[in-house]
Amino acid sequence: MTSAGRATGAGRVFPPLPQHPDPNAPFATSWWGNAWIGALEGTSLDARRLARGRAYAREGHVDTITVAPGRIVAYVHGSRPRPYRAEIRMRTLTPEDWNNFLDAVATEPAHIAALLDKDMPHALVEAAERAGVQLLPGSGDLVPSCTCPDHGRPCKHAAALTYQTARLLDADPFVLLLLRGGDEQALLDELAQRNAHQAAREQSATTQGESGASLPGTLARDVLATDYRPPLPPPLAPPAHPGEPPLLPSLPGAPNPTSLEFLATDAANRAYAYLTTGADPFSAADPWHDAVRLAASHPGLTGRRSFSRQFAELATSVDHTPADLARAAAAWRQGGEEGLALLESPWDPPAGLFDRARGALIAADLPRMTIHRNHLTNASGSLQLRYGRDGRWYPYRSEPGRDDWWPEGEADMDPVGAVTGMISS
């Protein structure tokens, strides 16, 4: 079995594609890109969802796209503030399939040249099919999923991701080979080796036919063998942003890949902070605080009345309800550990700035507020300010009369600014 047959392609990340505003322009310009779209549209039973997916794709609602063996993932912005995580799955090729594909390509130098030119001619695909290898998906081969509540197959978010992927395939057919499980560099290296072996066999047969003996030679590994090792280069400067975790396969009995990617993202953020500052700014005193920090840092997990399965599992792991964790995460985003302390523990501030806050609100013609410990609350019970030990005012909101307070808006050193920020939002 060759190394290319065993190799699993690493994920590639593509930045968001620009808008595609012309409704009459096709999404795909290559024949293989159109075959990809045909597989999507052959799977769908609802033309309206496809139309909404095309509109989302044209309007640029699809965020960064990650392509890995067997899956394509992206966050897609819909009608709600938080994006949904859309995913398209497709079967990867077996090692035997890859061997057959490489043999089919290596026998025709034009196929290798086409791949190097980012082209996938009909002849190459037909040669692969004759070898029993199906590169392009057929109807029903694309398996969509999404975190949105729509159970359509595909929903409009997954359809938008599939249409945008056709544009990636137009530019680089190796995206399709990666989705089938092949790494671009490993495939090209293996094709180069097979091509060289074929050329060597042909040259050897020609030489022996002419002279009856092969020419002497020296193995390349003997020429390049040396004990000298150059010194290591200086370390690179830290990157501008934390790296993204690899995409993990979904295997029977294995942990949920979305949960693992979430934890890997957190680990990357902590490692990046330690690399750039020399300290871990995310240390938490107990599992509850750490769970709150995790929930606050992940855009796909937090909510107020609807929660993903991963979010509910995180809350259960620290013996809290999802609503408790969502409220605490909102407080953490508002002010970190101080924001969470304000949510959980009222305190009695000293006289001074706290007492003068009510006068400042009245002078600004804002609602009068009553005092209870470090809380200022308006008469209708819908707006509240909480004074923190850091001297900032933290805005809260509740349905009138329900005493169900949620952090809302940014903390401010000025109580007037904190209230006006809530009223204007």
Side-chain angles (χ1 to χ4, degrees):
M1 181 63 225
T2 66
S3 59
R6 290 192 302 267
T8 298
R12 291 175 61 183
V13 179
F14 298 88
L17 295 171
Q19 292 186 8
H20 199 59
D22 184 357
N24 298 316
F27 262 92
T29 56
S30 65
W31 73 269
W32 59 88
N34 280 303
W36 172 269
I37 290 177
L40 163 71
E41 295 178 344
T43 300
S44 176
L45 299 177
D46 191 333
R48 292 175 302 176
R49 287 190 174 96
L50 290 180
R52 290 295 295 146
R54 284 193 297 270
Y56 272 18
R58 291 188 189 281
E59 294 164 7
H61 287 217
V62 181
D63 213 329
T64 300
I65 300 175
T66 301
V67 182
R71 61 196 296 221
I72 310 166
V73 180
Y75 282 100
V76 180
H77 297 268
S79 57
R80 298 182 181 181
R82 295 194 178 279
Y84 297 108
R85 185 179 188 274
E87 182 171 347
I88 306 295
R89 290 184 175 271
M90 188 170 75
R91 182 184 67 84
T92 58
L93 299 181
T94 66
E96 181 181 0
D97 289 335
W98 281 117
N99 267 333
N100 293 338
F101 171 73
L102 292 168
D103 284 341
V105 175
T107 56
E108 180 54 64
H111 295 340
I112 301 176
L115 285 177
L116 292 175
D117 288 337
K118 305 298 184 183
D119 189 18
M120 186 179 289
H122 274 287
L124 187 153
V125 175
E126 291 168 356
E129 290 178 350
R130 287 194 297 270
V133 180
Q134 185 72 32
L135 290 179
L136 290 165
S139 178
D141 287 346
L142 301 181
V143 181
S145 64
C146 184
T147 57
C148 75
D150 184 358
H151 297 294
R153 291 180 64 85
C155 68
K156 57 191 175 185
H157 311 100
L161 171 58
T162 311
Y163 281 114
Q164 288 292 62
T165 303
R167 298 172 67 186
L168 299 181
L169 294 175
D170 272 352
D172 187 354
F174 275 102
V175 173
L176 175 63
L177 298 181
L178 172 59
L179 186 59
R180 284 298 197 186
D183 176 77
E184 177 176 352
Q185 193 57 54
L187 292 174
L188 292 177
D189 289 347
E190 179 63 20
L191 284 173
Q193 290 181 26
R194 295 191 184 205
N195 189 50
H197 290 162
Q198 180 64 26
R201 285 194 295 269
E202 294 173 357
Q203 179 64 33
S204 176
T206 302
T207 303
Q208 291 183 13
E210 294 175 352
S211 63
S214 61
L215 296 175
T218 303
L219 293 175
R221 63 172 176 265
D222 296 335
V223 175
L224 298 176
T226 175
D227 292 332
Y228 172 72
R229 297 291 183 271
L232 294 175
L236 297 175
H241 305 286
E244 294 191 9
L247 284 174
L248 302 171
S250 179
L251 300 174
N256 181 278
T258 303
S259 299
L260 291 179
E261 288 169 16
F262 165 46
L263 294 174
T265 299
D266 177 66
N269 289 336
R270 296 181 66 169
Y272 179 79
Y274 193 83
L275 176 66
T276 53
T277 66
D280 183 358
F282 302 120
S283 59
D286 55 51
W288 165 242
H289 281 201
D290 197 47
V292 172
R293 178 188 62 78
L294 285 170
S297 66
H298 197 287
L301 292 186
T302 54
R304 182 163 178 169
R305 292 186 177 87
S306 60
F307 311 101
S308 69
R309 180 171 59 84
Q310 287 80 18
F311 191 92
E313 290 174 351
L314 182 62
T316 302
S317 70
V318 288
D319 297 325
H320 282 73
T321 67
D324 289 340
L325 182 57
R327 194 193 315 265
W332 189 281
R333 287 194 301 273
Q334 198 181 52
E337 293 188 6
E338 177 63 24
L340 182 60
L342 276 179
L343 173 70
E344 298 178 334
S345 304
W347 64 290
D348 297 311
L353 290 175
F354 180 76
D355 295 323
R356 288 193 289 272
R358 285 203 302 170
L361 293 172
I362 294 172
D365 198 25
L366 291 171
R368 293 177 178 270
M369 293 195 168
T370 60
I371 294 178
H372 176 68
R373 305 195 73 178
N374 62 323
H375 299 177
L376 296 180
T377 308
N378 71 343
S380 67
S382 59
L383 301 178
Q384 187 178 90
L385 292 181
R386 298 189 181 186
Y387 187 60
R389 297 177 188 272
D390 58 358
R392 294 193 295 170
W393 294 90
Y394 291 76
Y396 277 67
R397 190 187 294 274
S398 173
E399 294 294 331
R402 289 191 59 185
D403 196 30
D404 182 30
W405 296 103
W406 281 76
E408 183 167 319
E410 298 182 2
D412 199 314
M413 296 298 294
D414 178 14
V416 174
V419 172
T420 56
M422 261 198 303
I423 294 175
S424 62
S425 62

